[in-house]
Amino acid sequence: MISVIDAKKDQFFVSIYKNGTEIFPVSDTTPEKIAAFLKENASAGKIFALGPSAPQFSQILNRIEPNFLVKVPKFLPPTTDALLEIAAELKKNGESPLNDYDGPVYIRASEAELSLAK
């Protein structure tokens, strides 16, 4: 399974899992590098792409390597109301939906940070 989000600039934030184990850590990378990795490390069969950019990524991946069988499940992303309901249910059951330190993990520097570094 490939988890993918468009990182712009012809790059994607990607992680790859096989049988529940991460085999490609979260990276800011190109579809070409992912195709090369999959060619060497993925067994034959379907590749499931998930995430908001999965349809776009799967089309690019199929252009690079037509022999891949990339599937994108059809489902709607969760709404804010659905996510709030999940959080409320967790809280009701005494579980913490998020810890204070939970939040985004930045894989690469922002445009502002890159400009300041120059």
Side-chain angles (χ1 to χ4, degrees), residues 95-103:
E95 300 174 54
S96 174
L98 288 175
N99 293 315
D100 288 342
Y101 54 85
D102 287 345

Side-chain angles (χ1 to χ4, degrees), residues 80-100:
T80 305
D81 289 343
L83 295 174
L84 289 172
E85 281 183 41
I86 292 169
E89 187 67 27
L90 288 170
K91 193 161 182 85
K92 185 174 107 179
N93 293 333
E95 300 174 54
S96 174
L98 288 175
N99 293 315
D100 288 342

Side-chain angles (χ1 to χ4, degrees), residues 34 41 45 60 64-65 68 70 72 74-75 91 94-95 109 116:
I34 294 301
N41 297 287
I60 295 168
I64 296 167
E65 185 54 61
F68 288 157
V70 182
V72 178
K74 293 182 178 159
F75 62 89
K91 193 161 182 85
E95 300 174 54
L116 281 174

Side-chain angles (χ1 to χ4, degrees), residues 35-46:
F37 177 85
L38 290 171
K39 220 172 182 179
E40 289 183 23
N41 297 287
S43 59
K46 296 176 187 161

Side-chain angles (χ1 to χ4, degrees), residues 6-27:
D6 187 355
K8 306 298 182 201
K9 299 184 179 184
D10 300 320
Q11 302 256 123
F12 288 86
F13 297 120
V14 176
S15 60
I16 302 175
Y17 298 84
K18 185 175 183 179
N19 299 325
T21 302
E22 185 179 59
I23 61 171
F24 189 91
V26 177
S27 301

